[in-house]
Amino acid sequence: MSSKNDILSAIRRHTGKRYDMPELTLDAITYEDKILQFTDSLKAAGGQVVLMQPGDDINDIIRHHFPDAIRIASNLSSITCATFNPDDLDDPRELDNTDLAIVEGHFGVAENGAVWITVCCRMARVARITRQVKHKALYFISNSLVMLIDRNSIVNNMHEAYKRTENMTYDFGAFISGPSKTADIEQALVLGAHGPVKVLVVLK
């Protein structure tokens, strides 16, 4: 038994009366136009949204926004501008010096412009589920990040978002809203402090 299981077992043995989780009845914020709110929220967080139109080519959109990207990672078959599949790498350190990563998110959140992304679990990899990536480092080590989501998958708020994640299977999950940033030093906002400098969300 691992030390983690030892600790959890000790906690269970010393737990007295147990209580059921309360039902949350909060009236969370909703929006008349979730796409517009998502776009505004992500822009406020330093990111950008492109709403695809009929006839648009996703690869043309990516090349337009990232003309200087050379090393481009994606495991999506529709991304023909990618130069390599990150899932083919065994060591995530080989993702270093990736100019651009193009991934598929599960859904967006209108109130804060966040996108829910995951790393696939071992069973999902066996089932060849491609919307999740193999290495979580891909989301953070790339200089720029493009996330593709269905425009109809945007939820209003984080309450709805967490409900959406309840039955998902994954090894790692995170909400990403805009590029990495910090304002700790002299109250100056720095983008790309711990991750991508630029984040683009494409609504399909």
Side-chain angles (χ1 to χ4, degrees):
M1 184 179 290
S2 68
S3 58
K4 175 183 175 181
N5 289 330
D6 288 339
I7 294 170
L8 293 176
S9 296
I11 292 173
R12 293 188 188 100
R13 286 196 306 271
H14 293 87
T15 299
K17 187 174 181 180
R18 296 174 183 256
Y19 298 90
D20 294 330
M21 285 187 68
E23 287 291 330
L24 295 178
T25 57
L26 299 175
D27 293 326
I29 192 168
T30 59
Y31 302 95
E32 184 175 345
D33 189 333
K34 289 185 286 189
I35 292 177
L36 177 61
Q37 180 61 42
F38 178 83
T39 301
D40 290 344
S41 296
L42 188 60
K43 183 178 179 181
Q48 186 177 359
V49 174
V50 170
L51 183 63
M52 288 187 69
Q53 303 299 323
D56 284 351
D57 185 289
I58 182 61
N59 295 282
D60 290 341
I61 292 173
I62 292 169
R63 278 302 186 188
H64 172 74
H65 284 85
F66 304 93
D68 300 323
I70 297 173
R71 192 167 188 247
I72 303 174
S74 184
N75 67 355
L76 303 174
S77 59
S78 60
I79 307 302
T80 58
C81 64
T83 60
F84 74 101
N85 185 337
D87 291 352
D88 291 338
L89 304 178
D90 293 325
D91 189 343
R93 289 174 294 187
E94 295 180 71
L95 293 168
D96 194 17
N97 296 317
T98 297
D99 297 315
L100 176 64
I102 304 154
V103 302
E104 190 169 21
H106 293 277
F107 59 88
V109 186
E111 74 170 329
N112 56 15
V115 173
W116 173 247
I117 50 87
T118 55
V119 170
C120 61
C121 68
R122 288 172 290 280
M123 291 303 295
R125 286 199 287 272
V126 171
R128 298 185 182 275
I129 295 175
T130 58
R131 74 180 305 162
Q132 302 182 68
V133 300
K134 180 179 177 181
H135 302 295
K136 64 182 177 183
L138 181 66
Y139 296 123
F140 310 106
I141 201 170
S142 305
N143 192 52
S144 298
L145 180 65
V146 174
M147 296 181 285
L148 315 179
I149 61 172
D150 186 331
R151 69 184 69 192
N152 297 315
S153 69
I154 297 175
V155 299
N156 286 290
N157 51 64
M158 291 300 291
H159 299 283
E160 294 178 12
Y162 279 112
K163 284 286 187 183
R164 286 284 299 270
T165 67
E166 285 180 353
N167 297 317
M168 289 185 178
T169 303
Y170 53 88
D171 284 340
F172 169 85
F175 287 99
I176 294 180
S177 180
S180 170
K181 47 193 154 317
T182 183
D184 293 352
I185 303 171
E186 297 181 356
Q187 297 182 339
L189 179 64
V190 177
L191 298 181
H194 313 290
V197 176
K198 186 175 181 180
V199 168
L200 174 70
V201 175
V202 179
L203 302 180
K204 301 182 292 180

